Amino acid sequence: MPGVSGPSDYSQEPPRHPCLKINAKEPFNAEPPRSALISSYVTPVDFFYKRSHGPIPILDNIDRYCVSISGLIGKPKDIYMTDIWKLPKYNVTATLQCAGNRRTAMSKTRTVKGVGWDVSAIGNAVWGGAKLADVLELIDISNCTSTTPFGGKHVEFVSVDKCKEENGGPYKASIPLRQASNPEADVLLAYEMNGKPLNRDHGYPLRVIVPGVIGARSVKWLDSIDIIAEECQGFFMQKDYKMFPPSVNWDNIDWSTRKPQMDFPVQCAICSLEDVDVVKPGKITIKGYATSGGGRGIERVDVSIDGGKTWVEASRYQKAIIPYIADHASSDKWAWVLFEAKADISQSAEIVAKAVDTAANVQPENVEVIWNLRGILNTSWHRVHVRVGHSNM
């Protein structure tokens, strides 16, 4: 693609905030301290988790940069940034979460394969850009189309990013055409994050945002879009990010028996306390995030200070002043909620949080029942242990 130069090594990586916990250096994968996530409803770019599969691409000529759209359509088309900027701009507040969020805790049950993430492979941002549905209209695909006249049923996003899992080829993923062409699904070709141009770590100059779906489908550094008959056959769609039962291991796995994971399940985590913490006796505030996939809101968050024997309901909020009402027009349907509960702690305790979404989906009590060999979708009750002391750790 014109305007692209991709570094062949890791010598030209962008600067990052020193507070990030680096889980892998090459390729770079890092998350912020969990306490940073509850400092604001919208996650600052510096504290948004970084997920990559190869060296960060350099796109050095924005005037020549374009996205080619081809496949099962009438006529291929190259879309330049000037074309994107001419389309109506939408700002969508959406939470992105890596499917491997909380993998480290799952690996304590039984070893799993993948980057070790704590609870911060998640973030909430205001993404600005054009709706993919509007872009598809430029190639004569109408809103809410399931199949093109030429048999196209899926929209594949191909990245500039090259990765070893694709044998040096590009990272890619797809979503159904009916979702891509539906304006209500809010799928974006985004060029802004929190009101500023995307930085290199997050996909400059253009990336896909697929709200309510695991982060792996929101392809960064977009190179091309293909309208295809079947879902993408790339590694990360077919040989990764699939949910298997605990009985499956690396000797008996058959990747073809499971569909690629799309929506993420209901999830929450406590962020005001570490997994093992010391608190002063008396009142403490328990804060964290809760979210669910598919645009489902959070109906409630339950908090326990006795390991799950008794519960209190936490307060939930998104934006200041405006009360959060799940699935209400005033709330951001694709975004997390932050929660808060107060409790009196006089002795050592196991503090637990669990969320319930608007479809009454609830987090599983134990990680053992959802253990899977890739360590994805750890949505079990989040537990932290505190002991009472008179000094901070």
Side-chain angles (χ1 to χ4, degrees), residues 270-316:
I270 297 165
C271 297
S272 56
L273 297 162
E274 297 301 316
D275 284 346
V276 179
D277 219 328
V278 175
V279 298
K280 293 177 181 178
K283 274 210 178 300
I284 66 165
T285 302
I286 302 157
K287 295 181 178 181
Y289 64 76
T291 190
S292 191
R296 293 177 291 276
I298 297 298
E299 188 61 34
R300 70 173 201 270
V301 178
D302 301 325
V303 173
S304 171
I305 60 168
D306 55 15
K309 294 175 185 173
T310 61
W311 301 89
V312 296
E313 186 174 346
S315 61
R316 296 157 294 140

Side-chain angles (χ1 to χ4, degrees), residues 334-349:
W334 305 113
W336 66 14
V337 301
L338 301 180
F339 68 84
E340 181 175 321
K342 296 187 183 299
D344 272 311
I345 300 291
S346 59
Q347 60 187 10
S348 297

Side-chain angles (χ1 to χ4, degrees), residues 183-236:
E184 297 298 312
D186 288 331
V187 181
L188 294 183
L189 296 192
Y191 45 80
E192 286 183 1
M193 182 179 183
N194 295 348
K196 295 183 178 179
L198 293 169
N199 70 14
R200 281 180 57 207
D201 268 327
H202 294 290
Y204 176 85
L206 194 68
R207 69 170 299 169
V208 183
I209 294 294
V210 187
V213 168
I214 63 169
R217 313 308 176 210
S218 289
V219 173
K220 299 188 286 285
W221 313 291
L222 188 61
D223 179 78
S224 61
I225 295 174
D226 295 325
I227 312 301
I228 54 180
E230 306 291 338
E231 67 192 15
C232 169
Q233 295 301 300
F235 179 90
F236 294 99

Side-chain angles (χ1 to χ4, degrees), residues 83-141:
D83 300 313
I84 299 286
W85 292 330
K86 286 175 185 174
L87 294 170
K89 180 188 173 187
Y90 293 88
N91 287 311
V92 175
T93 305
T95 297
L96 286 190
Q97 178 177 206
C98 178
N101 193 30
R102 300 181 59 199
R103 179 180 282 132
T104 297
M106 184 177 279
S107 70
K108 292 176 182 175
T109 295
R110 208 176 351 146
T111 303
V112 298
K113 183 179 178 182
V115 175
W117 297 100
D118 187 40
V119 303
S120 302
I122 188 171
N124 189 51
V126 180
W127 307 97
K131 286 197 178 183
L132 180 57
D134 290 345
V135 174
L136 292 175
E137 284 195 309
L138 299 177
I139 56 167
D140 299 323
I141 294 178

